[in-house]
């Protein structure tokens, strides 16, 4: 499994990457492999401020629907519209073309509370 070093991770298996003052969020390689084939992604929170660990959308796989949780508080500013026609991008490229939303974090310092790659690898190994 792939776990890029430059990302921060949550216990709910979301990842976050800061790009200037915008953060990109998606689900981890571990999460997509556990869910199986992803068939639909729904995000109806564009323009909304959401609390840390607040639900910002859902991802639907063949057998289940899972909530998506925001790793840090902030305003959801963009949805990856490529997922409308190709939700399987999350399966094939969870850290690249399969990103889910972009947000403006309320407090960039909150990222320091998230897991680094070594901690996340240990977390999913249990």
């Amino acid at each position: 499994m792939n776990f890029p070093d430059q990302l921060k991770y949550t216990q709910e298996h979301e990842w976050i990457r800061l790009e200037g003052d915008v953060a990109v969020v998606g689900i981890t390689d571990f999460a997509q492999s556990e869910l199986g084939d992803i068939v639909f992604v729904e995000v109806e929170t564009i323009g909304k401020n959401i609390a840390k660990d607040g639900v910002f959308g859902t991802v639907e796989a063949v057998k289940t629907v899972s909530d998506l949780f925001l790793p840090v508080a902030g305003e959801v500013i963009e949805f990856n519209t490529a997922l409308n026609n190709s939700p399987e991008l999350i399966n094939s490229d969870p850290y690249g073309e399969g990103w889910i939303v972009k947000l403006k974090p309320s407090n960039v310092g909150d990222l320091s509370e998230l897991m680094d790659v070594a901690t996340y690898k240990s977390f999913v190994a249990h």
Side-chain angles (χ1 to χ4, degrees):
M1 265 189 216
N2 181 20
F3 303 110
D5 290 341
Q6 72 276 20
L7 305 179
K8 292 289 193 168
Y9 300 90
T10 72
Q11 291 186 351
E12 290 79 27
H13 308 288
E14 278 85 18
W15 59 263
I16 187 167
R17 175 180 63 236
L18 204 56
E19 295 179 350
D21 63 347
V22 172
V24 182
V25 177
I27 64 171
T28 67
D29 195 17
F30 176 84
Q32 71 77 23
S33 70
E34 291 290 304
L35 287 168
D37 293 338
I38 294 172
V39 295
F40 187 70
V41 182
E42 182 174 49
V43 174
E44 296 181 344
T45 53
I46 303 303
K48 294 184 179 174
N49 281 298
I50 303 200
K52 179 184 187 313
D53 298 326
V55 175
F56 71 86
T58 57
V59 62
E60 182 177 339
V62 174
K63 297 179 185 173
T64 188
V65 176
S66 294
D67 286 336
L68 296 167
F69 300 95
L70 217 52
V72 297
E75 179 187 356
V76 179
I77 57 170
E78 184 180 343
F79 170 65
N80 182 357
T81 55
L83 299 178
N84 287 332
N85 295 323
S86 302
E88 69 278 2
L89 287 171
I90 294 174
N91 294 116
S92 62
D93 191 10
Y95 304 112
E97 292 184 24
W99 64 272
I100 300 174
V101 295
K102 292 184 179 179
L103 71 130
K104 287 199 173 192
S106 300
N107 181 359
V108 174
D110 290 346
L111 272 77
S112 66
E113 298 173 15
L114 302 174
M115 289 185 268
D116 63 15
V117 68
T119 307
Y120 184 71
K121 281 181 181 177
S122 175
F123 176 73
V124 297
H126 291 99

